[in-house]
Amino acid sequence: MTETRPPLPPFTEETARQKVRAAEDAWNSRQPEKVALAYTPDTQWRNRSEFPKGREEVARFLTRKWQRELDYRLIKELWTFAANRIAVRFAYEWRDADGQWFRSYGNENWEFAESGLMHRRFASINDLKISKAERKFHWPQGPRPADHPGLSDLNV
């Protein structure tokens, strides 16, 4: 049986927004094995200076990431889309083991297989140290509540 992950390309604005929110919710779950299932078995990534290939490497990468980035909260926003590609901007907040807070900003370019699984993900990310008082993402661990403002609303 062929794996599928709706919505499927080609994307409309509505289905692209659904795909972005699904990705945001999955990443906020911080469940590496579950998140990795949204990608093709032979997925190719560029994330900062790491280049995971395949679901197993992606799951290991995410495990390391979330062990290091504590109290992780992410918001993604659709930037543009066409056919089987989506571009997003994102920001996430996290703290390190010493209690220093960060806001990480970035952009991702995604390319999807016909199945709706992401085949390629290219991310560029910058980190900014922030104080605990500067945090803007204040919801319980897990998916962002539907009524929580997005990036544009927060001017992030």
Side-chain angles (χ1 to χ4, degrees):
M1 181 183 250
T2 304
E3 296 175 84
T4 60
R5 181 68 61 118
L8 307 177
F11 298 111
T12 64
E13 182 174 354
E14 178 183 350
T15 61
R17 287 186 191 286
Q18 290 171 0
K19 204 65 147 174
V20 171
R21 186 57 191 246
E24 175 188 313
D25 288 349
W27 280 61
N28 277 325
S29 77
R30 296 182 349 180
Q31 296 177 22
E33 298 296 331
K34 179 181 174 187
V35 173
L37 293 176
Y39 301 90
T40 61
D42 62 344
T43 191
Q44 299 174 9
W45 283 25
R46 178 181 50 86
N47 195 95
R48 299 179 192 261
S49 61
E50 294 191 58
F51 298 83
K53 291 184 180 173
R55 285 181 178 163
E56 294 78 18
E57 285 186 27
V58 165
R60 286 193 297 272
F61 166 84
L62 292 171
T63 298
R64 288 191 314 276
K65 172 184 179 61
W66 291 321
Q67 287 172 345
R68 185 177 62 249
E69 296 177 356
L70 307 173
D71 293 321
Y72 178 94
R73 308 271 189 304
L74 165 72
I75 300 177
K76 292 182 182 282
E77 184 173 275
L78 177 66
W79 188 255
T80 192
F81 67 95
N84 69 331
R85 293 182 174 170
I86 296 175
V88 300
R89 73 183 193 101
F90 64 87
Y92 62 92
E93 293 179 348
W94 58 281
R95 67 173 175 81
D96 65 17
D98 294 327
Q100 173 62 59
W101 282 93
F102 295 85
R103 185 173 305 119
S104 299
Y105 298 94
N107 301 294
E108 294 175 325
N109 295 311
W110 301 341
E111 182 179 83
F112 292 86
E114 290 179 5
S115 64
L117 296 171
M118 194 182 302
H119 179 61
R120 297 197 300 174
R121 175 187 173 270
F122 303 111
S124 297
I125 307 166
N126 300 296
D127 300 319
L128 175 68
K129 286 184 178 181
I130 61 172
S131 69
K132 186 174 182 177
E134 292 174 293
R135 292 182 57 220
K136 295 185 178 191
F137 304 171
H138 298 281
W139 64 85
Q141 194 67 57
R144 176 172 53 108
D147 62 348
H148 190 284
L151 295 179
S152 291
D153 299 323
L154 291 168
N155 199 27
V156 174

